[in-house]
Amino acid sequence: MNAEPRRRPRLAVWKFASCDGCQLTLLDCEDELLGLAEQVEIAHFLEASSASEPGPYDLSLVEGSVTTAQDVERIHHIRAVSRRLVTIGACATAGGVQALRNYADVAEFQAAVYARPDYVATLATSTPISAHVPVDFELRGCPIDRRQLLEVITAHLAGRRPAVPAHSVCFECKQRGTVCVTVAHGTPCLGPVTHAGCGAICPAYGRGCYGCFGPGDSTNFPAFVPLLRRDGMDTLDVVRVLRTFNTAAPEFDAASRKELDR
Amino acid sequence: MTTSQHGFLGGLPPAHRDRLTAFAQEVEISAGARIFEEGGAADRFWIIRSGGAALDVHVPGRPPPVVETLGEGDLLGWSWLFEPYRWHLGAQARGRLRADEFDASRVRAACGQDPAFGLAVTGAVAAVIARRLKATRTRLLDLYGPPGGGAGGGDG
Amino acid sequence: MTHRGSRVLHVGSLSRVEGEGSLQLRIRGDEVTEARLAIYEPPRFFEAFLRGRSYTEPPDITSRICGICPVAYQLSACRAIEDACGVTVDGQLAALRRLVYCGEWIESHTLHVHLLHAPDFHGCANVVELARSRRADVERGLRLKQAGNAIIELLGGRAVHPVNVRLGGFHRVPSRSELRPLEEQLRRAREDAALTVRWVAGFDFPEAGCDHDLLALAEPDRYAIESGTPTVMPAPHTAGLPATSRRALPTRTFGVREFGDHVVESQVPHSTALNARLDGRRHLTGPLARYAINGRLLSPIALQAAQDAGLGDPRQGDVCRNPYRSIVVRAVEVLHAVDEALRLIDAYEPPPSPYLDVPPRAGTGHGATEAPRGLLHHRYTLDAQGTVTDAVLVPPTAQNQDAIEEDLRRTVQEQLRSGDPTDAELTALCERAVRNHDPCISCSTHFLDLTVDRAGGGD
Amino acid sequence: MATDAGGSAVIDKDGLDALVAVLAGRGRTVIGPIVRDGAIVLAELGSGADLPYGWGVELEAGTYRLRAREDGAAFAHSAGPQSWKTFLHPPRVREWSADRSADGDLVVTEETGTPPAYAFLGVRPCDLRAIAIQDRVLTGGRHADQGYRGRRERAFLVAVECTDPGATCFCVSMGTGPAAGPGFDLALTEVLDAGGHRFLVRAGSEEGESVLADLPRSPADPATREAAHERVAGAADRMGRSMPPVDLRTLMRETLTAGRWDDVAARCLTCGNCTMVCPTCFCTSTEDVTDLTGDHAERWRHWESCFDLDFSHLPGGSVRESPRSRYRQWATHKLGTWFDQFGSSGCVGCGRCIVWCPVGIDITEEAHALHQERESRAARPPGPESPA
Amino acid sequence: MTTPHAVAHSAALPVPHRVVTRAAEAPGVATIVLEPVRSALPPFVPGQFAMVYAFGVGDIPLSVSGIDGDRLTHTVRSVGAVSAALQGLEAGATVGVRGPFGTGWGLPAAAGRDLLVVAGGIGLAPLRPLVRAALAAPGEYGRLNVLIGSRTPQDLLYAPETRGWAPRARVLVTVDRPDGRWRGDVGVVTALLDRAAFDPGTAAAFVCGPEPMIRATAAELVHRGADPGRIMVSLERTMHCATGHCGHCQLGPLLLCRDGPVVSWTTAEPLLLVREL
């Protein structure tokens, strides 16, 4: 005997400057996709549906970074029609790889790519969603992890705080039983300063973590950077590895600037 | 009861306590009466024998909010000891108030004449101020507001 | 009521594609004077910020151009840089690359076939709606997609932006026993893929053609995926054939290093994607081109499935130029990729080292692979220390833009001639026409706003 | 009869192979050291041939390197990246699941099923003590961790005494090695000399004796006994590290406000590696998960660490916000308050935390520094206290 | 102190309980009464806590604020996801409960002594069963004082009941922020000590509230000559497993789920003096 049918929560998925990989992660939940569609009303998800329902939405997942003036307007609108707004992926939480423009002259960048840069309207910076509107939860990763995405959604449905720890990748590496690539092989690895969540994939494949989940909640770069140097990285290498997919994350940004100032 | 040891007078050595109480004059203040007002001349002070007093602040347009209440044994008023001898707060009797009232100028004069007595009185008043300052700081923390509070609070 | 007026419309957004763009139609009477696919996905400047990076980084960095086909970017980048450094990856390492690429074809094509394209043929807005009437077909698709992802996850660590691909090979290679569970999953997937070909072959396809040069990589003895030589089959009109012709035409080839001489990008004011043309002409890359150029090299079961699905026999010179039927070609390619993956796993022996050393040297290198949506070309110039000094990436959708616009124009034009379509009908039609090409709009687009600008003709 | 009265014997490599086979034949999953990914890790043994014959390790703070040995020894290595807690107290377990029925009732289902019957081959004396310590923590109090108890009670422990300690070992300081203490079913001592490559075996339990009886063996001869004894005694003299010779519990209690904690905090990455590799660290967190219907919930438990900022989370924030306080919590717990809580030290001197700390923080060095700081403070003439 | 009992089931498993009543207590605070759906938990003593599980959300430690046979009363304030879920439950809902855990107040050890109960905010919840137990045993103890500090008059817990404790107990209430109608005391709870009726040298004190309030109260009592060993305080750290196995609730040498939450001031004082312990 069922209670009267409760209103299904309405889900919306939005895209800003990004590669689509994070929203694709939702479609990569092959085992759960149809079940999810029974529990929530997928009201707006352009990549997956041509039926777009107007707001308000109970949960908005936002992918991508803000890089144009129209983006700024659009994210304010999305915030206004969303009860909870969750940003997904490094672009949305830290500006993404395209935030490398923040260090350069955008006009120069445009000229490098486009013969007629004047055709292209873009902001000088790529910024995370949280730089523009309040965000209820940030899910890290370039790309996000499928299990974590499901956890965020099911936690939202259950009214639970998502179990998405902010500690270092080392936690996951050890739990996975991977031999530490830094200690045992002398491979530079950003694991100790990187936010967990991927499941410590790179060390499991014998390479050092390259920080695609951005900084963890407790980093110590002055102690950490010498370790990268010990294992063979020079200043430029250190700067490059910090300046990739989470380059504009404050901790990575500060550490890379400090390196250049040396 | 703990009053006698721990009230204001409890903070004075017996000899000085007797000397101070010699200045006292017992008074009774009817319930709800205003005892003094913010900014008024602090020419007296009291040690409460029974009943209580509420200290309040004047805020235009609303009833004066009570910031602290005093009860038996408490010192009511310390502004009389420091220039410019003006009340920082207002005070109102809560219920019928019986108290020992002191003439501030006479006590100050006695303190001036006898440094030992003066030091004792000043020290006892300072102890009261220190306690109230500590209490005020504790309240500033708004400890009972969320979050916090006993074993019943932990939450994920 | 007639719709032949002077009107400007903004219609919703094109969905079930990846990327942001808008569509502009200018109609005068019953004549389409202009059809523009305006990609306005904000620029991300990959080519600019690749300059100054280490030569080891482009595989990981360019993977972030596209979450749908990251393996294509990784392997095009690897090939280009290895070319610059004079290293050739072959043997089992090359086989593993082909295997992970098969995973991407299976995953990406199945995503398009089941989740993005099939709903069009059933009048559904999305796969969830489709699942209400075709649950088993949708579940089969999800299973198939999962099998593709399983390959990428095993070899790459994760399905999106895998981490294991590197210059010279892989960070870590699997043991035979690690591949074994994959084999079981793929055997089931092969059945699913065959059923999918049969399923989509039964869809209702409008009669249509395309009159573009077709461009795909080709290899002498196998269906080109992760390597090959650019090969062109000219457009039917050059041989006096109609756009709907199913006849193959003689092909010509050029070297990967000459790619830039033949495929030239230009910029148009309405788009943030660069528009590429082949020897000055519109061209199409992707499944239709691959099938036309390489179809005869499909695995036997894929060939048989293609014939059973009505695509004709590529060994007899049959090609498919109907964009609507691209869904069938994709399904055939999925079957081929599953079959190929099984073949590769069966023949797998772990290589002695997971990667070859790729020492840096000054020079320019080219690399092209067949992304699910078509030929993806990378070119890098390195200095002696291995710092990237120049990078040029030509994604398939940028190449296809002209062809897509032409298909749109043709589709709308035919519609206008045969009736009096409403704007809503036109929008739906245009969306379908665009989806036929599975534009990887992330490499280039997302919202597609349709603007119909109808300038009055007769009235 | 090749087993003497004390339940000891000598086996050779074939005997070791047989040991693996016999244990497997008794339905046990045999876990032991193997070489993988450039380290000697603990994994299921297919046969005795999987053992790391001819491999040793070079250890330093923050560094681990596998080194080939010419002598072909199987156990001439010290603690690797994992400890046995990986199996007895696994990184991630489901504790229970719960279902909510249509009428709102709640049905909780405990995880059941027969726990695996492990045989651990190559348990170092320090690790043997570590297992005893986790036994006390997880099953010795009022509440027992039933899952742990099930796995532990069914586990068969083959200790191997240490003959080749690493540069980061300090079991002598902690009184846990290099000779095996109580708790093993069998204890092996590897002997390599002119007399050949062989192992002195002692049984420590009835099942141990029974397993030993199934092995091809010879009596424990005096020469082998003597050689084994010498090798273990020699190992004790070659410890790479030591703790300061003071009561560590008191030292920890008296140095809670030491300046040294700031010093170590400046180096510490708070990455948690030390706690994960520590064979006694037992901390866990739980996570509650639900499926998409919301009517099925599960409680999972996973390893956690006091280096996690969230570990001491209270509604207002974390209690131990600073890295200083988190390192101090770990070290003082390990060396000091563990006594208060569980009646022993929490440190067994295996040195894993030193090796696997990426920046090479060395708990023995920190303890020495704390000791020195306390000494110099005591030596200083009493001066005015700094303001509270 | 706790009484040992036979553990019939794993203490890690929640036992289903039904919400019998739910009463809004104060803004964001509710009191729920739970009864076992099937089997009951072993008996609780005042000061002990249970882990209460909101389905799919998680569990949190909640002291018992009332004990009535198998029925457990909890007073919960919404400060996070789980407490918000529990606080919002209606009668008829099912929760999971584990327990009893931790030390109790140890009231019986205070026989013959004046009792001083000092509560700050939600800290009154774990003290209520203690007061009830003391009132239920007239003659067993000396004078009973209940000192309550609250943020505002609206936040006062169990208002009708606490009034009913007088005159058997001396009940003194003070608030931090009075409203216009409040005629009672204003100030910190320690200020009420002057008006409590107890012999500081021999009295037994029971204190629960935010840590700074506990420290201030205990210090004041010690200053007045109280024996730190007879000042019992209830401390807060995050309990997760409650069975002493997860390590979260450590405070120096203590595992508070096992050695606490109630400890004597002798034990607590040196620990609370160390920052971030």
Side-chain angles (χ1 to χ4, degrees):
Chain A
M1 180 184 68
N2 281 316
E4 62 183 272
R6 74 196 155 94
R7 186 184 69 84
R8 289 185 303 161
R10 309 183 77 228
L11 175 75
V13 183
W14 308 93
K15 179 192 151 79
F16 289 78
S18 67
C19 78
D20 277 62
C22 293
Q23 49 176 320
L24 175 70
T25 302
L26 191 56
L27 299 180
D28 274 352
C29 300
E30 290 98 359
D31 289 335
E32 297 86 5
L33 188 62
L34 296 178
L36 175 67
E38 282 165 21
Q39 298 304 318
V40 304
E41 179 192 343
I42 301 177
H44 179 93
F45 186 4
L46 281 181
E47 184 170 305
S49 176
S50 49
S52 172
E53 302 294 327
Y57 309 99
D58 294 290
L59 175 63
S60 273
L61 302 176
V62 180
E63 173 194 272
S65 68
V66 172
T67 62
T68 68
Q70 296 93 301
D71 285 350
V72 178
E73 282 173 35
R74 198 154 59 89
I75 191 58
H76 279 99
H77 167 74
I78 292 167
R79 176 70 267 188
V81 295
S82 308
R83 211 159 58 80
R84 255 178 92 81
L85 190 156
V86 173
T87 51
I88 56 170
C91 297
T93 62
V97 70
Q98 57 271 21
L100 283 170
R101 75 175 66 185
N102 302 2
Y103 301 99
D105 179 352
V106 168
E108 223 171 84
F109 265 31
Q110 278 180 303
V113 181
Y114 300 103
R116 290 289 309 270
D118 50 312
Y119 289 173
V120 180
T122 186
L123 296 173
T125 55
S126 170
T127 42
I129 300 299
S130 61
H132 302 274
V133 296
V135 168
D136 295 302
F137 189 80
E138 293 192 324
L139 186 62
R140 302 284 202 86
C142 181
I144 55 169
D145 176 79
R146 180 167 52 201
R147 291 155 305 157
Q148 289 205 322
L149 177 63
L150 283 170
E151 167 61 9
V152 166
I153 293 172
T154 53
H156 173 77
L157 293 174
R160 186 176 68 232
R161 180 181 171 214
V164 175
H167 52 218
S168 73
V169 169
C170 299
F171 280 70
E172 293 187 316
C173 220
K174 287 289 182 287
Q175 292 185 17
R176 189 171 174 150
T178 302
V179 175
C180 177
V181 296
T182 294
V183 170
H185 311 151
T187 303
C189 175
L190 288 192
V193 294
T194 298
H195 195 289
C198 63
I201 304 168
C202 286
Y205 281 78
R207 76 181 285 191
C209 164
Y210 59 87
C212 70
F213 272 60
D217 62 0
S218 181
T219 56
N220 183 355
F221 281 97
F224 176 68
V225 170
L227 196 62
L228 297 180
R229 293 180 175 280
R230 181 198 74 182
D231 292 333
M233 284 188 154
D234 63 18
T235 298
L236 212 50
D237 294 330
V238 172
V239 171
R240 280 178 186 142
V241 75
L242 292 171
R243 290 192 174 176
T244 50
F245 313 113
N246 287 277
T247 180
E251 294 88 341
F252 281 7
D253 178 54
S256 70
R257 285 178 196 276
K258 206 172 156 206
E259 274 308 284
L260 285 175
D261 287 348
R262 283 164 57 100
Chain B
M1 300 286 277
T2 59
T3 307
S4 56
Q5 298 99 309
H6 284 282
F8 170 66
L9 289 174
L12 280 172
H16 295 308
R17 186 194 305 159
D18 294 345
R19 177 148 184 208
L20 182 64
T21 48
F23 293 106
Q25 178 191 346
E26 195 174 331
V27 294
E28 209 172 288
I29 300 169
S30 54
R34 299 294 299 177
I35 308 169
F36 52 80
E37 296 295 345
E38 234 175 300
D43 55 355
R44 282 171 292 172
F45 67 95
W46 299 265
I47 296 170
I48 298 172
R49 281 171 169 256
S50 68
L55 301 175
D56 54 27
V57 184
H58 175 66
V59 182
R62 64 173 167 124
V66 176
V67 294
E68 191 161 15
T69 53
L70 302 176
E72 290 168 14
D74 284 337
L75 171 69
L76 171 58
W78 49 260
S79 302
W80 56 272
L81 190 54
F82 306 98
E83 289 191 43
Y85 312 124
R86 303 247 162 228
W87 297 117
H88 292 116
L89 300 167
Q92 182 169 25
R94 323 193 91 191
R96 204 172 60 132
L97 179 72
R98 282 176 57 241
D100 287 330
E101 183 179 287
F102 298 82
D103 180 321
S105 56
R106 285 182 64 203
V107 176
R108 281 200 302 264
C111 289
Q113 282 155 15
D114 180 350
F117 176 66
L119 189 62
V121 169
T122 308
V125 173
V128 168
I129 296 171
R131 267 182 70 187
R132 290 188 191 161
L133 177 62
K134 190 176 160 197
T136 305
R137 286 169 169 169
T138 307
R139 283 166 60 196
L140 269 178
L141 296 174
D142 192 21
L143 288 172
Y144 306 141
D155 201 342
Chain C
M1 143 166 201
T2 177
H3 296 94
R4 297 180 188 199
S6 175
R7 286 190 291 163
V8 177
L9 290 176
H10 265 291
V11 189
S13 348
L14 186 79
S15 49
R16 285 183 275 130
V17 295
E18 303 94 21
E20 290 186 325
S22 69
L23 180 67
Q24 292 220 16
L25 286 179
R26 197 174 296 276
I27 301 165
R28 210 170 282 275
D30 57 3
E31 201 69 32
V32 181
T33 56
E34 194 176 6
R36 279 177 174 180
L37 175 65
I39 292 170
Y40 62 77
E41 169 96 9
R44 293 169 69 213
F45 302 116
F46 277 84
E47 288 154 315
F49 59 64
L50 280 167
R51 294 180 180 177
R53 304 298 298 207
S54 164
Y55 77 119
T56 56
E57 295 183 284
D60 286 325
I61 291 180
T62 60
S63 136
R64 267 64 183 188
I65 291 174
C66 177
I68 323 292
C69 51
V71 171
Y73 277 89
Q74 293 185 342
L75 290 182
S76 283
C78 284
R79 291 189 69 86
I81 293 163
E82 287 156 9
D83 180 43
C85 299
V87 171
T88 305
V89 173
D90 50 18
Q92 288 294 343
L93 287 175
L96 280 179
R97 284 184 165 179
R98 189 169 171 86
L99 179 58
V100 69
Y101 220 133
C102 284
E104 182 154 292
W105 274 29
I106 299 166
E107 190 280 326
S108 174
H109 272 355
T110 306
L111 170 75
H112 189 254
V113 167
H114 284 84
L115 276 69
L116 311 185
H117 208 186
D120 276 343
F121 295 92
H122 292 82
C124 296
N126 53 49
V127 71
V128 174
E129 207 182 308
L130 182 65
R132 283 187 205 123
S133 57
R134 313 287 314 188
R135 180 105 189 174
D137 294 316
V138 169
E139 283 179 351
R140 188 184 59 235
L142 290 171
R143 217 161 44 227
L144 197 48
K145 185 169 166 309
Q146 201 164 35
N149 275 337
I151 298 177
I152 308 176
E153 281 166 17
L154 189 108
L155 290 177
R158 62 184 170 200
V160 180
H161 305 323
V163 303
N164 194 22
V165 171
R166 55 161 290 165
L167 290 186
F170 295 85
H171 290 278
R172 182 182 176 278
V173 291
S175 63
R176 274 187 66 85
S177 63
E178 280 176 277
L179 292 179
R180 206 165 298 131
L182 210 51
E183 211 170 1
E184 287 160 28
Q185 193 173 3
L186 287 170
R187 269 198 214 98
R188 166 117 200 230
R190 187 159 54 186
E191 287 167 33
D192 285 338
L195 285 169
T196 297
V197 177
R198 208 176 305 161
W199 179 52
V200 298
F203 291 177
D204 190 16
F205 299 106
E207 201 51 42
C210 62
D211 199 5
H212 325 299
D213 287 2
L214 300 176
L215 171 65
L217 296 178
E219 291 196 82
D221 51 357
R222 56 180 192 174
Y223 203 84
I225 299 179
E226 84 294 357
S227 62
T229 307
T231 302
V232 185
M233 182 181 287
H237 73 265
T238 60
L241 295 171
T244 51
S245 166
R246 298 179 64 166
R247 262 181 53 198
L249 293 170
T251 58
R252 68 175 195 277
T253 65
F254 54 86
V256 172
R257 294 182 182 202
E258 283 85 58
F259 186 85
D261 301 334
H262 294 275
V263 178
V264 177
E265 290 182 297
S266 65
Q267 196 184 356
V268 289
H270 63 259
S271 177
T272 54
L274 294 168
N275 226 325
R277 300 194 129 209
L278 171 61
D279 295 326
R281 287 166 27 154
R282 186 172 71 228
H283 71 287
L284 181 71
T285 142
L288 291 183
R290 279 193 300 257
Y291 185 74
I293 290 165
N294 298 318
R296 67 199 157 81
L297 298 171
L298 285 167
S299 76
I301 69 162
L303 258 178
Q304 188 58 49
Q307 282 172 263
D308 294 348
L311 291 178
D313 185 350
R315 286 167 304 186
Q316 306 298 321
D318 288 339
V319 303
C320 171
R321 289 199 179 86
N322 182 345
Y324 291 95
R325 285 190 188 269
S326 66
I327 191 171
V328 185
V329 177
R330 274 185 204 97
V332 168
E333 285 196 333
V334 169
L335 177 56
H336 175 78
V338 175
D339 208 33
E340 179 72 358
L342 279 164
R343 192 188 64 76
L344 292 165
I345 290 171
D346 189 51
Y348 178 68
E349 287 297 335
S353 165
Y355 57 88
L356 305 180
D357 274 329
V358 182
R361 72 177 193 195
T364 295
H366 299 256
T369 65
E370 280 292 339
R373 285 152 194 81
L375 195 154
L376 169 61
H377 184 265
H378 285 210
R379 187 192 80 199
Y380 300 95
T381 303
L382 313 179
D383 67 14
Q385 284 71 48
T387 304
V388 176
T389 57
D390 189 47
V392 177
L393 317 173
V394 184
T397 297
Q399 300 180 62
N400 287 347
Q401 188 167 346
D402 271 4
I404 296 173
E405 287 178 351
E406 171 58 16
D407 279 5
L408 284 167
R409 193 197 59 75
R410 180 192 292 267
T411 305
V412 173
Q413 187 65 68
E414 281 166 8
Q415 208 61 29
L416 288 172
R417 294 226 169 105
S418 65
D420 182 18
T422 64
D423 290 336
E425 284 163 353
L426 277 183
T427 302
L429 199 65
C430 289
E431 289 203 318
R432 280 192 72 173
V434 170
R435 277 198 284 269
N436 282 337
H437 294 286
D438 185 15
C440 189
I441 307 192
S442 285
C443 315
S444 333
T445 89
H446 239 86
F447 298 89
L448 190 68
D449 290 321
L450 176 70
T451 307
V452 181
D453 180 359
R454 293 176 193 256
D459 34 2
Chain D
M1 173 77 206
T3 309
D4 63 23
S8 61
V10 173
I11 61 172
D12 58 10
K13 274 172 76 173
D14 292 343
L16 198 54
D17 286 348
L19 175 59
V20 175
V22 165
L23 290 169
R26 293 182 174 216
R28 293 188 173 279
T29 303
V30 186
I31 311 288
I34 64 160
V35 172
R36 196 194 72 203
D37 296 336
I40 295 175
V41 302
L42 301 175
E44 185 168 353
L45 297 177
S47 74
D50 292 342
L51 290 166
Y53 287 107
W55 286 103
V57 292
E58 271 177 27
L59 307 179
E60 247 329 310
T63 309
Y64 178 104
R65 291 290 182 279
L66 210 50
R67 289 284 178 261
R69 294 173 63 97
E70 299 206 333
D71 63 4
F75 298 105
H77 54 85
S78 43
Q82 310 132 295
S83 70
W84 305 98
K85 78 175 178 185
T86 301
F87 304 95
L88 293 175
H89 184 48
R92 199 170 148 77
V93 291
R94 184 168 56 195
E95 289 196 321
W96 45 261
S97 43
D99 291 278
R100 185 164 55 187
S101 61
D103 62 1
D105 193 12
L106 179 66
V107 177
V108 180
T109 314
E110 192 172 8
E111 280 302 298
T112 49
T114 313
Y118 287 121
F120 296 155
L121 173 55
V123 180
R124 296 302 178 171
C126 56
D127 283 350
L128 196 59
R129 177 69 68 85
I131 291 171
I133 288 173
Q134 283 214 330
D135 289 349
R136 166 66 189 88
V137 172
L138 296 172
T139 60
R142 193 155 78 91
H143 306 285
D145 178 335
Q146 302 298 349
Y148 178 90
R149 172 174 281 168
R151 291 181 289 272
R152 176 68 183 90
E153 283 177 348
R154 290 165 65 88
F156 184 93
L157 307 186
V158 183
V160 177
E161 295 189 302
C162 268
T163 52
D164 217 327
T168 50
C169 287
F170 57 102
C171 62
V172 169
S173 279
M174 305 315 293
T176 62
F184 57 81
D185 293 287
L186 287 176
L188 272 55
T189 314
E190 186 170 29
V191 175
L192 271 155
D193 57 17
H197 189 179
R198 58 203 193 278
F199 305 87
L200 177 69
V201 191
R202 287 176 289 149
S205 69
E206 273 181 34
E207 195 186 353
E209 284 183 29
S210 143
V211 168
L212 183 52
D214 283 354
L215 305 181
R217 64 200 183 280
S218 55
D221 57 294
T224 304
R225 280 180 191 281
E226 179 62 21
H229 176 77
E230 270 176 23
R231 287 172 72 87
V232 174
D237 297 334
R238 284 183 282 119
M239 285 293 130
R241 296 280 200 281
S242 69
M243 278 289 183
V246 296
D247 182 68
L248 294 172
R249 180 187 187 182
T250 314
L251 177 64
M252 292 299 122
R253 198 168 53 223
E254 291 177 354
T255 52
L256 287 171
T257 56
R260 182 69 185 185
W261 301 117
D262 289 323
D263 185 276
V264 66
R267 290 172 278 132
C268 177
L269 304 177
T270 62
C271 61
N273 276 306
C274 48
T275 59
M276 302 285 159
V277 298
C278 176
T280 66
C281 269
F282 57 85
C283 289
T284 53
S285 273
T286 54
E287 57 188 83
D288 291 279
V289 298
T290 37
D291 70 358
L292 286 163
T293 68
D295 290 326
H296 177 78
E298 295 180 354
R299 161 77 44 95
W300 287 80
R301 191 186 70 191
H302 55 81
W303 285 357
E304 189 49 278
S305 164
C306 49
F307 284 91
D308 181 317
L309 191 52
D310 227 21
F311 187 74
S312 59
H313 177 84
L314 280 178
S318 288
V319 174
R320 291 186 283 274
E321 191 79 33
S322 68
R324 165 195 159 96
S325 67
R326 280 178 271 152
Y327 185 84
R328 184 184 64 190
Q329 163 64 26
W330 179 69
T332 57
H333 186 218
K334 200 100 298 191
L335 301 176
T337 53
W338 204 291
F339 285 97
D340 301 282
Q341 295 170 4
F342 306 110
S344 76
S345 168
C347 175
V348 296
C350 70
R352 285 187 180 89
C353 58
I354 306 172
V355 176
W356 299 98
C357 172
V359 291
I361 292 172
D362 177 347
I363 192 170
T364 65
E365 187 187 324
E366 299 313 313
H368 280 287
L370 288 165
H371 172 53
Q372 274 159 23
E373 184 172 341
R374 185 178 61 169
E375 294 290 292
S376 60
R377 202 172 46 197
R380 219 182 300 138
E385 290 294 321
S386 54
Chain E
M1 289 295 132
T2 58
T3 33
H5 60 267
V7 180
H9 60 278
S10 165
L13 286 186
V15 174
H17 280 63
R18 191 157 286 131
V19 179
V20 183
T21 60
R22 185 247 186 214
E25 200 67 64
V29 181
T31 294
I32 52 176
V33 178
L34 307 175
E35 71 176 8
V37 174
R38 287 170 287 268
S39 61
L41 291 166
F44 284 68
V45 298
Q48 285 190 304
F49 70 96
M51 296 299 294
V52 186
Y53 171 69
F55 187 86
V57 187
D59 58 5
I60 49 165
L62 290 176
S63 294
V64 283
S65 64
I67 305 162
D68 176 14
D70 284 348
R71 287 192 171 190
L72 299 172
T73 305
H74 294 286
T75 301
V76 53
R77 177 161 65 163
S78 175
V79 292
V82 184
S83 55
L86 293 173
Q87 196 268 137
L89 289 174
E90 295 299 334
T94 309
V95 298
V97 187
R98 301 190 285 128
F101 295 120
T103 52
W105 290 110
L107 178 63
R113 301 177 185 279
D114 288 342
L115 305 180
L116 191 63
V117 173
V118 188
I122 194 89
L124 182 55
L127 287 164
R128 182 169 72 161
L130 171 90
V131 174
R132 287 177 174 178
L135 290 173
E140 186 75 15
Y141 306 99
R143 293 164 291 182
L144 173 60
N145 300 271
V146 183
L147 279 47
I148 300 170
S150 174
R151 190 185 197 204
T152 71
Q154 291 74 42
D155 289 313
L156 276 169
L157 303 181
Y158 322 127
E161 180 178 346
T162 52
R163 278 194 296 274
W165 290 343
R168 292 169 295 162
R170 176 176 285 235
V171 181
L172 302 169
V173 180
T174 184
V175 300
D176 277 354
R177 302 178 187 180
D179 59 13
R181 285 164 303 169
W182 178 250
R183 290 290 163 264
D185 283 310
V186 178
V188 291
V189 71
T190 46
L192 300 175
L193 287 172
D194 280 345
R195 278 173 282 146
F198 67 105
D199 173 9
T202 60
F206 305 91
V207 187
C208 186
E211 202 172 291
M213 169 266 174
I214 290 178
R215 289 201 302 261
T217 305
E220 186 66 31
L221 285 170
V222 171
H223 176 68
R224 286 160 194 252
D227 175 356
R230 276 199 286 274
I231 303 171
M232 304 306 287
V233 302
S234 183
L235 299 177
E236 182 189 19
R237 285 292 182 274
T238 302
M239 283 80 159
H240 278 223
C241 71
T243 53
H245 302 150
C246 79
H248 281 269
C249 64
Q250 288 183 69
L251 175 64
L254 306 179
L255 285 166
L256 279 180
C257 70
R258 179 191 80 176
D259 307 320
V262 178
V263 297
S264 78
W265 186 239
T266 316
T267 303
E269 188 186 16
L271 305 177
L272 301 189
L273 286 177
V274 182
R275 288 185 67 178
E276 296 192 285
L277 190 65

